[in-house]
Amino acid sequence: MGTIFLHEIAGTAILLLLGVGVVANVVLTKTKGNGGGWLLISFGWGLGVFAGVYVAAATGAHLNPAVTVGLLVSGAEEYAPGIAVTLGTTLAYFAAQLIGAFLGAALAWLAYRDHYQAETDQGAILGTFATGPEIRNPLWNMVTEVIATFVLVFVILLFGSTPSGLGPLAVALLVVAIGASLGGPTGYAINPARDLGPRLFHAVAPIRHKGGSDWGYAWVPIVGPLVGAVLAGLAAPLFV
C-alpha cells in the first residue's frame, strides 16, 4: 500500500501541477503565456501525463480512477507487477490519486500566486482548476465525458496488450489528441480525480475574487469518466 500511495500521489501531483499550471499560464492576468490558446493547453496536459507516468511507473502509473476502473472491469489480475487487484489496492489507488490531484493544484497555485491575486474573472480562476462546459447541458456534457474517457481507457488498455517502444509518450500523445479533438464541449476532465481534487482545493484556497466552486456541475466529470471507463473495460478484452 505504501508503494501505491507514494508513487501514485507523486505522479498525479506532477500531472496536476503541470496541467493546472498550463491553464493558469494561458488564462490568468499578466502571465507570459496569456492567450496561448487551446493547443498549448492540450499539449501542456499531455506532457503533464508524460511526466507523471514516469514518476508513477512502479504502480503502473494509473494517475486516474477511470484507468483503475477500466483495468478492474477488464478482468486484470494485477494493476502493476506485484500489485494484485483487490478492494484494498483499488481504494488505495483512488485515495492516492485524489490526494495527488489536490496537492498538484496547490503547487500550481503557489507558482502563480500573484497572478491569481491579480485576476478578477471568477470563471477564469475556477477554470484553471476545474472543468466546465461551454454549453451547459449536464446530460450531454456527461455523454461527451463518457466518449472521451472511453477513448482514453480503451486505447490505454490496448497499449498494454501491444508491444510498443513509445511508453509514456504514447499515452501523452493520446491525451493531446483527446484534448484537441474532444475537449471543446467540456474541457475534457476524463479523470474524476483531475477535476475533484483541484475543485476541492479551489473551495478552500485563499484566492481573492475566486467565487464559487460550481458544485452543481461537479458530478459530471466524475460520473461521465467512470461510465466511459466501465464501457472501455468491457470492450477492450474483445480486441486482444
Side-chain angles (χ1 to χ4, degrees):
M1 294 296 182
T3 297
I4 296 174
F5 252 60
L6 177 63
H7 290 276
E8 281 289 312
I9 289 174
T12 309
I14 291 292
L15 164 61
L16 267 295
L17 168 60
L18 297 179
V20 172
V22 72
V23 182
N25 193 21
V26 169
V27 306
L28 294 181
T29 298
K30 297 181 180 179
T31 63
K32 297 291 188 181
N34 185 263
W38 187 250
L39 281 180
L40 178 57
I41 290 174
S42 296
F43 272 97
W45 275 106
L47 294 174
V49 168
F50 180 78
V53 166
Y54 270 112
V55 172
T59 60
H62 298 190
L63 312 180
N64 181 347
V67 173
T68 306
V69 167
L71 284 165
L72 177 66
V73 173
S74 73
E77 295 182 357
E78 290 184 318
Y79 283 131
I83 302 176
V85 175
T86 67
L87 176 60
T89 55
T90 300
L91 294 178
Y93 272 100
F94 290 166
Q97 290 153 0
L98 183 59
I99 293 168
F102 184 94
L103 293 176
L107 290 171
W109 168 71
L110 286 172
Y112 282 92
R113 187 263 181 193
D114 287 347
H115 299 276
Y116 278 109
Q117 293 301 95
E119 182 61 67
T120 60
D121 184 337
Q122 295 180 359
I125 293 170
L126 177 59
T128 65
F129 294 108
T131 61
E134 287 300 299
I135 298 175
R136 197 178 188 94
N137 185 333
L139 175 60
W140 290 105
N141 300 149
M142 186 183 72
V143 169
T144 297
E145 289 290 336
V146 169
I147 293 170
T149 309
F150 176 89
V151 172
L152 174 72
V153 177
F154 180 70
V155 176
I156 286 175
L157 292 176
L158 294 186
F159 281 162
S161 65
T162 304
S164 171
L166 292 176
L169 181 58
V171 182
L173 292 174
L174 173 61
V175 172
V176 172
I178 292 169
S181 299
L182 299 172
T186 63
Y188 75 119
I190 60 173
N191 179 341
R194 170 265 173 274
D195 189 273
L196 181 57
R199 197 182 295 269
L200 286 167
F201 177 76
H202 175 272
V204 301
I207 303 173
R208 187 186 304 163
H209 308 302
K210 71 177 182 179
S213 300
D214 194 13
W215 290 107
Y217 180 79
W219 67 271
V220 173
I222 296 174
V223 175
L226 292 178
V227 172
V230 169
L231 295 176
L234 294 172
L238 302 177
F239 290 81
V240 296

